[in-house]
């Protein structure tokens, strides 16, 4: 499985940005896809993820500002980010993992895309 992220860049505070992720390879139909981010000096944290059934989960810091979506047929995912803040500055990683109930364990990562929010 390979994941490729697109769409990072520089944006002013209050602005919007859209990230995309394309997955290829042998992808389990039950996989959960999502985004995690890592800012300098901080641990990687959940931004948002969406189950194979389309149920989204958001991190507390982005809920209400970010929207995650997924096209299961095309194995693609997007993250629409609005009302961006300087604290959203981080490298954003596309992630594909097994659902927690699955006996088959897997966890794949994309290469990361940098989002910089200027204040």
């Amino acid at each position: 499985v390979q994941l490729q992220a697109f769409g990072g860049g520089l944006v002013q505070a209050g602005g919007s940005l859209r990230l995309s992720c394309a997955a290829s390879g042998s992808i389990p139909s039950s996989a959960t896809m999502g985004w995690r981010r890592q800012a300098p000096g901080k641990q990687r944290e959940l931004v948002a993820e969406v189950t194979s059934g389309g149920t989204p989960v958001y991190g507390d810091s982005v809920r209400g500002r970010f929207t995650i979506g997924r096209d299961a047929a095309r194995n693609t995912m997007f993250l629409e980010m609005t009302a961006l803040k300087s604290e959203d500055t981080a490298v954003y990683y596309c992630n594909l993992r097994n659902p927690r109930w699955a006996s088959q364990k897997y966890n794949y990562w994309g290469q990361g895309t940098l989002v910089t929010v200027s204040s």
Side-chain angles (χ1 to χ4, degrees):
V1 174
Q2 290 188 328
L3 301 171
Q4 189 167 10
F6 306 89
L10 175 64
V11 63
Q12 288 188 331
S16 300
L17 202 62
R18 182 181 174 103
L19 303 182
S20 299
C21 176
S24 59
S26 182
I27 299 164
S29 59
S30 61
T32 291
M33 293 186 74
W35 296 91
R36 279 164 167 78
R37 68 186 181 187
Q38 188 165 19
K42 295 188 177 181
Q43 289 190 331
R44 194 170 294 190
E45 65 173 356
L46 171 70
V47 177
E49 59 183 12
V50 56
T51 68
S52 58
T55 300
V57 174
Y58 295 96
D60 291 341
S61 61
V62 307
R63 191 175 296 113
R65 299 188 296 122
F66 292 9
T67 302
I68 191 169
R70 177 176 180 174
D71 184 337
R74 293 181 172 82
N75 290 320
T76 58
M77 173 180 63
F78 70 86
L79 182 70
E80 191 73 42
M81 304 184 291
T82 64
L84 283 160
K85 306 174 182 180
S86 57
E87 50 263 46
D88 294 318
T89 295
V91 177
Y92 285 68
Y93 296 92
C94 179
N95 173 249
L96 187 149
R97 64 168 181 84
N98 60 277
R100 303 193 190 285
W101 49 261
S103 57
Q104 181 189 7
K105 307 299 182 185
Y106 51 89
N107 192 20
Y108 299 101
W109 295 93
Q111 83 282 12
T113 184
L114 177 63
V115 173
T116 303
V117 183
S118 63
S119 56

